[in-house]
Amino acid sequence: MKVSFVAGVFAALASFATGSKYVWPSEYDEIEEILSLQGGYLSRRFADGVVPCSEGGNVKGRQNAAEWIRTAFHDMITHNSKKKTGGVDGSIWFELNRAENGGLAFNNTFNFFNFLYSSRASAADLLAMSVIVSHSSCGGSTKIPFRHGRIDAGEAGPAGVPETHTPLKTMLSRFATAGYSHADMITMVACGHTLGGVHSVNFPEISKGSTNIYNDTVTTFDGSPYQFDNSIATEYVKGTTKNPLIIGTNDTVNSDKRIFGSDKNKTMKALAKKPSVFEAKCAKIFSRMIDTVPKGVKLSSPLEAIDIKPNITKLYLNDEGSLVFAGRVRVRTTEGAKKGRDQADLSVHLTYANRKGKGATAIQTEYAGNSTGLYGETFAWYEYETVIEPSAGISKFNIHLTVPSKKKTTKYTNQGHGYPVDDAILYQDVESCVSRTSVNGTRAFVARVALDKDRTSSALRMEIVRFEKRQGVIVRKMDLESIDFAATGEESGIWAFYEATVQLSTSAWSTTFDIVSDGKKKTKGSAGYDKTKMEFLRTRTCARVSS
Ligand code: HEM
Ligand SMILES: *[C@@H]1O[C@H](CO)[C@@H](O)[C@H](O)[C@H]1NC(C)=O
Ligand SMILES: *[C@@H]1O[C@H](CO)[C@@H](O)[C@H](O)[C@H]1NC(C)=O
Ligand SMILES: *[C@@H]1O[C@H](CO)[C@@H](O)[C@H](O)[C@H]1NC(C)=O
Ligand SMILES: *[C@@H]1O[C@H](CO)[C@@H](O)[C@H](O)[C@H]1NC(C)=O
Ligand SMILES: *[C@@H]1O[C@H](CO)[C@@H](O)[C@H](O)[C@H]1NC(C)=O
Ligand SMILES: *[C@@H]1O[C@H](CO)[C@@H](O)[C@H](O)[C@H]1NC(C)=O
Ligand SMILES: *[C@@H]1O[C@H](CO)[C@@H](O)[C@H](O)[C@H]1NC(C)=O
């Protein structure tokens, strides 16, 4: 069974309640983690592409931060605010055969976060986030809120990105259609052109230099292309600018000159006056830019780093038939966020209840490392691994933070629910993996699950995301496929074992899946149970076996 689901999955994500308190687990845990963990232990490494701000993967002339911001702008500016079409929806990657979207920057941009693209992180959400990551890495200090829920376009949208030769009137009407005033237009261009410059490879008539892609020469817009600052404006106002879109000999293509001077320099003078004004205005206009989305998209409220967040890394039956339970707790230690939460004076333990919800067995954790997020966020990690008596099982846990110097312990209960753990389905991680051998372009993924025997009368299936290449488009399509598990006949304790084998394309074996056990209505003769699932598991390759 195949269901095309790209829009459906993201629509579900977008419906995330605004304002309600966070309860773990959540569908947006993944996107929160991509945003929050930029450096250090368990970093998701989005910022690596733009740290430092000059970073360009050792390709001469390339600056990823500049490319990412420019890509978001080109994707957004074809928005129609009346018809509510276009905006940040990833349609840019279907539009690269247009002169207005020339060069390699747009594909490069997606290439950098392709590894983060999944059923829980749309290409459009990642593009929006890339603007924030770039802004932060290049010295922007005003926090730009990140809202998630953008839905990826499946095809090109209308054309209309302004080009250097576009007349002012056309530019103004293009921005107005997208929902931006005259002053907004000037501000947005100035804020964008504080980074990067014009590339000889793409615009040899504007930027002198080689047209060899390995010998690109950049004529920068201002004297500090790696700094998110107002020198784009101060240099312009002083008349010292070397911006190639201002001082070029051919006025037809001097677009920044036309734009910046179009309101008698009022906006540019204001931006030049004070760095803090530039900073505030740019954060605001970038926020509006990335939140310009078509109808059907409902953006979430700004995503904030979760204060206390657990992650179960293992819950499986080992060779002895014991239940291994391992995981970690992420504690937000950001300065000022929680007074007195200092990693050096903190210990963390869990207490868990058995399958019936009874008891409070303690599990100690150990500090394992720290990580950093954007705009000064920090986190500390505490890890544990323990063995649980399989007949007793586990249903939930609470998290306790102790400040030893004050002998004070605070208990976190996940808004009173406890942090749920369902031992009715165990993913046998150690025995599940994708074969290292490729046969006819596919690699076999064998997944093994232990299922509570009380559930074996209803279906157990895997819902796996398949990535499919599209001709000429760098963003792969996602399809959801459902595969039934079959009982192996083996049992251990309350569990029966199941297996499923999935052939995955050699070029797209790395993917995510859910394991779903359907519910059953209570009948006279037997007890019913609810549907349950393990979500967003990741395939991994089998360990090398020495022969
Ligand atoms: C509206 C009129 C605009 C025109 C005509 C224009 C034109 C250009 C041109 C010709 C380049 C050089 C590209 C290359 O050499 O590959 C460029 C670069 C850039 N543009 Fe614009 N732009 C405009 C607005 C904006 C806006 C609103 C933003 C962002 C908010 C932006 C962000 C950038 C960035 C960051 C670069 C540097 C890219 C790099 O160094 O790789 N531009 N722009
Ligand atoms: C849990 O941790 C793993 C790494 O061990 C990570 O890949 C995964 O994204 C985390 N899941 C959540 C929801 O935080
Ligand atoms: C790179 O371009 C510059 C400027 O056009 C030129 O002087 C230089 O010889 C080129 N180098 C190579 C290796 O092509
Ligand atoms: C100026 O640029 C325009 C647009 O690219 C072009 O048509 C025109 O020939 C150029 N003029 C000169 C003198 O190079
Ligand atoms: C705007 O500023 C530019 C650059 O300093 C200058 O050349 C131009 O004359 C100014 N325009 C007006 C109307 O003041
Ligand atoms: C994170 O850990 C490193 C290495 O142990 C340490 O040097 C650093 O001070 C820690 N940072 C924070 C914010 O706790
Ligand atoms: C691989 O493909 C060839 C040709 O289509 C076929 O004869 C062979 O049986 C396939 N091998 C496997 C293991 O599926
Ligand atoms: C972008 O990537 C796609 C898919 O790899 C490719 O077909 C296309 O030619 C690329 N476009 C550019 C402008 O490099």
Side-chain angles (χ1 to χ4, degrees), residues 93 96-97 101-107 111 470-475:
W93 290 296
L96 302 187
N97 51 354
N101 299 322
L104 300 175
F106 307 100
N107 268 357
N111 256 329
R470 283 185 280 217
Q471 187 61 38
V473 180
I474 198 157
V475 182

Side-chain angles (χ1 to χ4, degrees), residues 120 461-464 485 512-516 533-537:
R120 299 250 164 133
R461 60 181 186 278
M462 175 191 294
E463 288 177 354
I464 190 162
F485 276 88
T512 57
F513 58 95
D514 296 348
I515 298 171
V516 185
K533 52 180 167 177
M534 296 189 77
E535 294 182 78
F536 205 62
L537 300 162

Side-chain angles (χ1 to χ4, degrees), residues 60 209-210 212 215 217:
K60 187 168 178 269
S210 169
N212 178 323
N215 191 21
T217 303

Side-chain angles (χ1 to χ4, degrees), residues 105-231:
F106 307 100
N107 268 357
N108 284 345
T109 296
F110 182 77
N111 256 329
F112 260 97
F113 45 74
N114 186 15
F115 79 105
L116 296 167
Y117 170 61
S118 75
S119 59
R120 299 250 164 133
S122 71
D125 268 352
L126 292 169
L127 179 58
M129 197 190 288
S130 82
V131 171
I132 299 173
V133 174
S134 300
H135 172 259
S136 166
S137 155
C138 296
S141 56
T142 306
K143 188 168 170 177
I144 300 176
F146 175 72
R147 303 166 202 271
H148 56 83
R150 288 167 200 75
I151 299 171
D152 288 338
E155 58 189 24
V161 182
E163 294 180 71
T164 53
H165 57 77
T166 304
L168 183 66
K169 248 182 97 179
T170 314
M171 284 187 178
L172 281 166
S173 86
R174 181 63 255 152
F175 275 82
T177 301
Y180 295 91
S181 70
H182 190 162
D184 290 341
M185 176 180 87
I186 299 168
T187 305
M188 204 189 290
V189 176
C191 296
H193 289 179
T194 185
L195 301 180
V198 181
H199 298 247
S200 64
V201 162
N202 302 325
F203 295 90
E205 67 291 356
I206 298 174
S207 178
K208 297 276 165 292
S210 169
T211 52
N212 178 323
I213 55 162
Y214 301 108
N215 191 21
D216 189 13
T217 303
V218 183
T219 310
T220 62
F221 293 125
D222 69 17
S224 56
Y226 306 141
Q227 187 62 39
F228 202 90
D229 64 7
N230 73 340
S231 47

Side-chain angles (χ1 to χ4, degrees), residues 463-480:
E463 288 177 354
I464 190 162
V465 172
R466 281 201 193 269
F467 288 100
E468 277 172 47
K469 282 197 172 146
R470 283 185 280 217
Q471 187 61 38
V473 180
I474 198 157
V475 182
R476 293 171 302 166
K477 189 169 177 276
M478 283 185 243
D479 286 309
L480 192 66

Side-chain angles (χ1 to χ4, degrees), residues 6 15 24 46 63 71 99 152 293 317 373 379 385 388 397 463:
V6 174
S15 73
W24 183 88
F46 200 159
Q63 183 186 356
T71 303
D152 288 338
V293 291
L317 288 173
F379 305 92
E385 174 153 358
I388 290 174
F397 59 88
E463 288 177 354

Side-chain angles (χ1 to χ4, degrees), residues 441-514:
T442 66
R443 290 168 61 178
F445 169 41
V446 178
R448 195 167 147 88
V449 170
L451 180 71
D452 186 334
K453 282 187 267 181
D454 284 347
R455 294 188 153 266
T456 54
S457 59
S458 52
L460 180 68
R461 60 181 186 278
M462 175 191 294
E463 288 177 354
I464 190 162
V465 172
R466 281 201 193 269
F467 288 100
E468 277 172 47
K469 282 197 172 146
R470 283 185 280 217
Q471 187 61 38
V473 180
I474 198 157
V475 182
R476 293 171 302 166
K477 189 169 177 276
M478 283 185 243
D479 286 309
L480 192 66
E481 190 173 320
S482 181
I483 288 134
D484 290 333
F485 276 88
T488 66
E490 301 150 279
E491 292 185 0
S492 172
I494 66 157
W495 296 275
F497 288 95
Y498 282 72
E499 271 182 17
T501 303
V502 191
Q503 299 299 332
L504 296 172
S505 154
T506 301
S507 61
W509 65 268
S510 176
T511 187
T512 57
F513 58 95
D514 296 348

